[in-house]
Amino acid sequence: MASKVKIRVNGLVHNVTASLDTPLLYVLHNELKLHGPRFGCGLAQCGACSVLLDGKEIRSCVTPVAAVGGKAIVTLEGLPAAWAKARGTTAATPAALHPLQQAFMEHHGLQCGFCTPGMLMLATGVLEREPDISDDDLVD
């Protein structure tokens, strides 16, 4: 049965209608038209659907929309603004890309691009929790 659900995505509050067990990925993609998180395996294994939930990377394909109420969701599309806000930037327009997005582009880390959003979200979550992590630990 569909319910009205209020979720905060990329700094904006959205009222969506979905069954409480609907995967967050479907709400982000179908209701909010955000295409950064993508359907890959549907089993939380590949990471293509990754988003940040209160700063921690989660797999949105297995996270029910009911589990995210009152929490902040950041998708690939919201990384630049989240970065600007975390750094206290007051500019009306945040940087076009988050530094990790820029680095992936400059160092040819995009590959075909399908799973890149998941890699960016995972790396962002790790670096937010452990900003002084060693390169070897980050690669692991």
Side-chain angles (χ1 to χ4, degrees), residues 3 5 9 13 16 20 23 25 46-49 51 55-56 58 65 82 85 94 96 123 128 134 139:
S3 300
V5 181
V9 181
V13 175
V16 298
L20 296 179
L25 174 63
C46 73
C49 66
V51 299
K56 181 181 178 199
I58 63 157
V65 72
K85 182 179 178 186
E128 289 293 321
S134 72
V139 169

Side-chain angles (χ1 to χ4, degrees), residues 1-138:
M1 181 167 148
S3 300
K4 293 276 187 189
V5 181
K6 186 182 289 191
I7 60 175
R8 176 177 291 278
V9 181
N10 298 331
L12 300 174
V13 175
H14 300 273
N15 292 305
V16 298
T17 302
S19 295
L20 296 179
D21 61 348
T22 300
L24 175 60
L25 174 63
Y26 296 168
V27 172
L28 295 172
H29 192 270
N30 299 337
E31 297 274 332
L32 302 183
K33 306 302 182 206
L34 296 170
H35 301 291
R38 300 173 185 208
F39 184 86
C41 67
L43 301 170
Q45 299 296 307
C46 73
C49 66
S50 295
V51 299
L52 299 179
L53 184 64
D54 284 346
K56 181 181 178 199
E57 181 265 345
I58 63 157
R59 307 298 166 94
S60 65
C61 70
V62 296
T63 302
V65 72
V68 301
K71 298 178 181 175
I73 301 160
V74 177
T75 69
L76 182 72
E77 295 88 348
L79 278 182
W83 174 259
K85 182 179 178 186
R87 301 307 174 269
T89 303
T90 57
T93 306
L97 295 175
H98 182 282
L100 280 177
Q101 290 171 307
Q102 186 68 39
F104 264 61
M105 187 177 71
E106 288 175 7
H107 298 283
H108 308 288
L110 298 174
Q111 302 171 29
C112 77
F114 190 83
C115 61
T116 302
M119 289 187 267
L120 285 163
M121 300 312 291
L122 178 60
T124 299
V126 169
L127 289 171
E128 289 293 321
R129 283 191 320 275
E130 301 179 53
D132 298 321
I133 192 169
S134 72
D135 289 350
D136 289 340
D137 287 341
L138 183 58

